[in-house]
Amino acid sequence: QQQVKQSPQSLIVQKGGISIINCAYENTAFDYFPWYQQFPGKGPALLIAIRPDVSEKKEGRFTISFNKSAKQFSLHIMDSQPGDSATYFCAATFSSNTGKLIFGQGTTLQVKP
Amino acid sequence: DVKVTQSSRYLVKRTGEKVFLECVQDMDHENMFWYRQDPGLGLRLIYFSYDVKMKEKGDIPEGYSVSREKKERFSLILESASTNQTSMYLCASSVSGSYNHEQFFGPGTRLTVL
């Protein structure tokens, strides 16, 4: 029940296309869902996050779609650029938690010019 | 800016050696974490600490121990390194009780055990 399952493991998209990464969770007590972005040679960094009281959150070209009934959430990168090439991790946690995040398996995105 | 530094970017050790990985954060964060990152397995939590001298096991603590004697420093110890501990090790820190649980990561230490 603590797992977060992420797919696909890798993704290749043409410049200007839409990149979509999906995550699923089991524990309905999770109430905070962040996405982290990791460039080669760097540690992950918070990209965007959502709480389950909204179905969508948009920040620039990045959008999280959240489906509470299906226990799924996804990251959409519109107009994907080569600079978006990175590894993306979804995560989940409880607001009352000590700060632990449960991470998905990661998706390596390559955006071809 | 929050800065999390790790003592080494690359480390090569022999099987059976005792290995110390050091992590320092400069933002007075209460929480600190050690993860290992392996392809296809994501970020797996080894240990975390929510206060000085406090520690809790994560998902994969076997073969590892930790030490937190000062608030800014969190050490990961491999008592007797084995080849299956070859991995990327990431340290992170966060503010206790923050609304978004944002974790700030160091650049990682790539450990190779021969």
Side-chain angles (χ1 to χ4, degrees), chain B residues 69-100:
Chain B
E69 296 296 319
K70 293 186 176 181
K71 190 174 185 180
E72 67 271 17
R73 189 179 298 269
F74 192 34
S75 303
L76 180 69
I77 304 154
L78 288 66
E79 294 289 342
S80 178
S82 64
T83 55
N84 63 12
Q85 293 178 309
T86 291
S87 186
M88 172 69 81
Y89 290 87
L90 289 163
C91 175
S93 71
S94 71
V95 175
S96 178
S98 68
Y99 75 99
N100 67 358

Side-chain angles (χ1 to χ4, degrees), chain A residues 16-61:
Chain A
I18 302 173
S19 304
I20 302 174
I21 304 169
N22 301 299
C23 285
Y25 63 97
E26 288 295 324
N27 193 333
T28 55
F30 288 145
D31 60 2
Y32 180 70
F33 302 89
W35 286 87
Y36 280 72
Q37 179 188 52
Q38 182 185 29
F39 293 108
K42 305 284 188 182
L46 179 64
L47 177 65
I48 186 173
I50 196 168
R51 296 191 184 276
D53 52 345
V54 296
S55 60
E56 185 176 282
K57 183 171 182 181
K58 185 175 181 179
E59 289 184 3
R61 295 183 294 106

Side-chain angles (χ1 to χ4, degrees), chain A residues 28-98:
Chain A
T28 55
F30 288 145
D31 60 2
Y32 180 70
F33 302 89
W35 286 87
Y36 280 72
Q37 179 188 52
Q38 182 185 29
F39 293 108
K42 305 284 188 182
L46 179 64
L47 177 65
I48 186 173
I50 196 168
R51 296 191 184 276
D53 52 345
V54 296
S55 60
E56 185 176 282
K57 183 171 182 181
K58 185 175 181 179
E59 289 184 3
R61 295 183 294 106
F62 298 89
T63 300
I64 301 177
S65 296
F66 187 83
N67 186 330
K68 191 173 182 178
S69 60
K71 292 185 286 186
Q72 295 175 348
F73 58 110
S74 59
L75 177 69
H76 297 238
I77 306 174
M78 312 301 286
D79 186 25
S80 299
Q81 299 296 311
D84 297 329
S85 298
T87 299
Y88 293 82
F89 295 97
C90 62
T93 190
F94 320 98
S95 293
S96 58
N97 208 353
T98 50

Side-chain angles (χ1 to χ4, degrees), chain B:
Chain B
D1 279 352
V2 175
K3 194 163 186 184
V4 179
T5 56
Q6 296 184 228
S7 51
S8 306
R9 294 300 302 270
Y10 299 94
L11 209 52
V12 180
K13 295 292 182 181
R14 297 278 178 192
T15 301
E17 279 193 79
K18 190 169 186 176
V19 181
F20 292 86
L21 302 182
E22 303 286 337
C23 175
V24 178
Q25 51 95 4
D26 67 358
M27 284 302 291
D28 203 36
H29 285 172
E30 293 82 7
N31 300 329
M32 296 190 75
F33 307 84
W34 274 107
Y35 296 91
R36 64 177 282 176
Q37 179 177 5
D38 301 287
L41 297 177
L43 301 173
R44 293 182 293 167
L45 182 64
I46 304 171
Y47 267 97
F48 72 101
S49 169
Y50 52 88
D51 202 350
V52 175
K53 296 190 187 293
M54 304 300 288
K55 61 185 179 184
E56 284 196 23
K57 293 180 180 179
D59 300 318
I60 51 165
E62 295 78 20
Y64 304 95
S65 62
V66 290
S67 173
R68 194 168 180 200
E69 296 296 319
K70 293 186 176 181
K71 190 174 185 180
E72 67 271 17
R73 189 179 298 269
F74 192 34
S75 303
L76 180 69
I77 304 154
L78 288 66
E79 294 289 342
S80 178
S82 64
T83 55
N84 63 12
Q85 293 178 309
T86 291
S87 186
M88 172 69 81
Y89 290 87
L90 289 163
C91 175
S93 71
S94 71
V95 175
S96 178
S98 68
Y99 75 99
N100 67 358
H101 296 292
E102 181 175 2
Q103 292 188 12
F104 296 86
F105 284 82
T109 295
R110 183 163 295 281
L111 172 67
T112 302
V113 182
L114 302 175

